[in-house]
Amino acid sequence: MSETSALAPLLTPEGWELLNSLPPYDADDAARLNTELRRAGHSPELVAAALTQSRLRRDAAAKFGDFAARMLFTQDGLQQATRLPVAAGHARRFREAGLTHVADLGCGLGGDALALASLGLEVIAVDADEDAAAAATMNLTPFPEAEVRHTTAEAFVAEMGLTIGQPDEPDGTDRTDGADRTDGPGGAPAGWGLWLDPARRDAGRGHSADGASRRIWDPESFSPPLSFVTSLAATGIPLGVKLGPGIPHELIPADCEAEWVSVDGHVVEVVLWFNALARPGVRRAAAVRSADAMEELTSAAEFGERPDAEALGPDGLSGLLCEPDGAVIRAGLVSDLAERLGGAMLDEHIAYFVLPDRAAPPSTSAVRCHRVVEVFPFQVKRLRAWVQEHGVTSVEIKKRGVDVVPETLRKQILAGQDGRGKNGRRKDGRERTAATADLPPAGPRHRTLVITRVGDQRLVAVVEPV
């Protein structure tokens, strides 16, 4: 390993012992601890590396749980790492397909390889980044099923002997030489599958405020690029690839299952599943995960195809306003969910639907519901007057299909609010009289506003959670 690597000082007995002896990271105490460790004789490089790892371990607990306390991380690797419960779902897909070996190409810190090995699958974890490969080696040490290699995905595929871009004949004959094969698709050994998580950050493009490298949005600039992934899939080998959830639908290949995954309301990834790892009859899916459950919505329809249903338009904005989970939205399954729950779309291009006023809130984590209290056209002046009339002192602003910056609008409509309403009323509803004039302002009054376009109208819905 290069001596300039940030991990190098920790990959020694002294460094590893120091790191594992540190107390839980506390930003307020880091400067004092830095000074104390250097006075104890540890080099500045080792102290800096150990404290950085301690901070990363703290941050990684959200993704890796208790495992994080004995793992090594890089900033970029942690940003892209798969949460362990999600990685476990990936691993089950490989095991249920009857595969026994997986090449994890672009393994990063080894989170997916860890989940695969935990299910007894043999794993070769590959990464082109020296620090990532070193971290993965340490993180996978407890798993004899896993082997880490510092090389590129392209070099490993060539070593594996995959015949990229030359899919098998239907009778199992390899097109490369015409001979019958007893191994797996594309020249791979039988029982093998591929998992890819292309690098989507580039340190050469600068860093964000949290120290992570800038994101790459062009799939052909990923490492390896999406075209390399699809050429591998064309061989017929079982393959899954993790991508950022914002990839446009038109860039998703036609011969795969696309599965968007959310965790606790945050969309974290889309996985494209090819060949034996794709489920029959599933073109797109939304997997909605929470701490103790997972719900899924699937469709065989192509992107852009929706259930035939007439949108209600502006007059339909009443009853329960339903806000689907982000994975449902990304997968283009809003109208499918509305149909399943007996709801109706307001506008085919807006990701809200409604349920009748007397309907019970659906018992699913795939949607959040709000009861519509009041609706009026969206105008900043009118909205500010409404806020003043009702003595509102804080607002949550949700929006769909309108060019509104919630932070800016919030300042515009709340400016000057002092806790007293207009039209002779305090914000707690009591008449402003001589008896109440000297009373202190009533407590804060919060409201939730949904600003959305329905048809050609921009509307404000005042809503309450249910």
Side-chain angles (χ1 to χ4, degrees), residues 99-158:
L99 302 175
T100 56
H101 294 71
V102 179
D104 182 353
L105 307 182
C107 68
L109 303 173
D112 277 290
L114 188 156
L116 290 160
S118 295
L119 291 185
L121 297 168
E122 299 290 328
V123 185
I124 295 180
V126 172
D127 206 284
D129 181 82
E130 184 181 30
D131 281 356
T137 299
M138 296 297 292
N139 296 339
L140 293 170
T141 297
F143 298 92
E145 301 88 350
E147 172 191 348
V148 179
R149 298 188 189 180
H150 175 215
T151 186
T152 66
E154 294 88 341
F156 179 82
V157 165

